[in-house]
Amino acid sequence: MLTISDLAALKGALIVSAQAYPGEPMRDPRTMAQVAASAVIGGAKAVRVQGLADISATRSAVQVPVIGLFKDGHDGVFITPTLHHALAVAAAGAHVIALDGTRRPRPDGLTLAATIAGIRERSAATVMADCGSLADARAAAAAGADLIGTTLAGYTGERPKTQGPDLELLEAIVAADLGVPVIAEGRIHTPAQARAALDAGAHAVVVGTAITHPATLTGWFLDALAP
């Protein structure tokens, strides 16, 4: 589990998410570990990776905290959706387990609080709750989450999907003073947006697509070049 001093050391940090979608050429644990390690060379203070093999490979490749998650499905609660998934993420070597931190029903029927309690009992991992609203963040903090992320803003139906990061939600969660660090994540596509997230009170900022997803980056350039 990350200590209070470990979490404090992430203040103002860039966290890089290295993920590829199924079927893509980069969807390989060794490749993702290399991408994560390259981000660390560039200055990332932590990395976020998906899938048990990716977590294990990345843990061996970097000396910074590894935030791990296990996506199962594509809709609803699919980011580390059950206690079983969370414990598998911990066993793969993740320092931090990122899980769905919304108030939606979980596939195994457990509450978020019961899930976090189970993680505490059976692992030493820190818990990051990926939330989609202020109500989610309040509930996740009450359930015992160590970190609150804005990862699911715009994806749960409670808030509109903003073009960039949902800074309004970020500011609201920070203002609520929930007693845990708030991590900005989701649609942060430019350095200016990352800076804005820090200025809005984020403890740290996660950037994924804009750094580690060549297919999307290529599309952005093609769109700009289109007649």
Side-chain angles (χ1 to χ4, degrees):
M1 183 174 184
L2 298 185
T3 65
I4 292 176
S5 61
D6 292 330
L7 294 176
L10 290 178
K11 184 170 179 59
L14 173 65
I15 300 169
V16 171
S17 179
Q19 300 182 46
Y21 297 110
E24 292 184 334
M26 289 177 62
R27 187 72 193 93
D28 177 87
R30 184 169 180 267
T31 300
M32 288 295 96
Q34 291 172 328
V35 170
S38 296
V40 172
I41 290 174
K45 298 302 182 184
V47 293
R48 177 168 161 131
V49 293
Q50 190 281 137
L52 303 183
D54 292 41
I55 293 166
S56 180
T58 301
R59 177 66 189 267
S60 298
V62 302
Q63 300 299 315
V64 300
V66 175
I67 302 171
L69 60 144
F70 188 156
K71 290 181 178 178
D72 192 353
H74 301 90
D75 299 305
V77 177
F78 68 91
I79 298 177
T80 319
T82 69
L83 177 58
H84 173 77
H85 288 91
L87 294 175
V89 168
H95 300 91
V96 180
I97 299 169
L99 46 66
D100 185 296
T102 69
R103 304 173 335 277
R104 299 175 293 182
R106 308 179 75 80
D108 58 4
L110 295 179
T111 63
L112 180 59
T115 300
I116 294 175
I119 292 170
R120 296 270 188 266
E121 292 171 3
R122 299 169 62 181
S123 82
T126 296
V127 177
M128 177 176 173
D130 291 347
C131 297
S133 67
L134 176 57
D136 283 344
R138 290 185 186 278
D146 302 294
L147 300 165
I148 299 295
T150 58
T151 319
L152 291 174
Y155 297 106
T156 65
E158 288 194 81
R159 296 186 60 79
K161 184 178 178 181
T162 53
Q163 184 173 4
D166 191 339
L167 296 179
E168 181 181 81
L169 174 61
L170 174 62
E171 291 172 345
I173 296 174
V174 171
D177 194 15
L178 300 177
V180 297
V182 181
I183 309 298
E185 181 173 11
R187 300 183 300 278
I188 299 174
H189 293 158
T190 68
Q193 290 175 339
R195 179 72 252 177
L198 275 189
D199 291 343
H203 185 77
V205 176
V206 177
V207 178
T209 298
I211 295 177
T212 64
H213 200 248
T216 298
L217 291 170
T218 302
W220 290 351
F221 279 88
L222 284 175
D223 288 345
L225 295 176

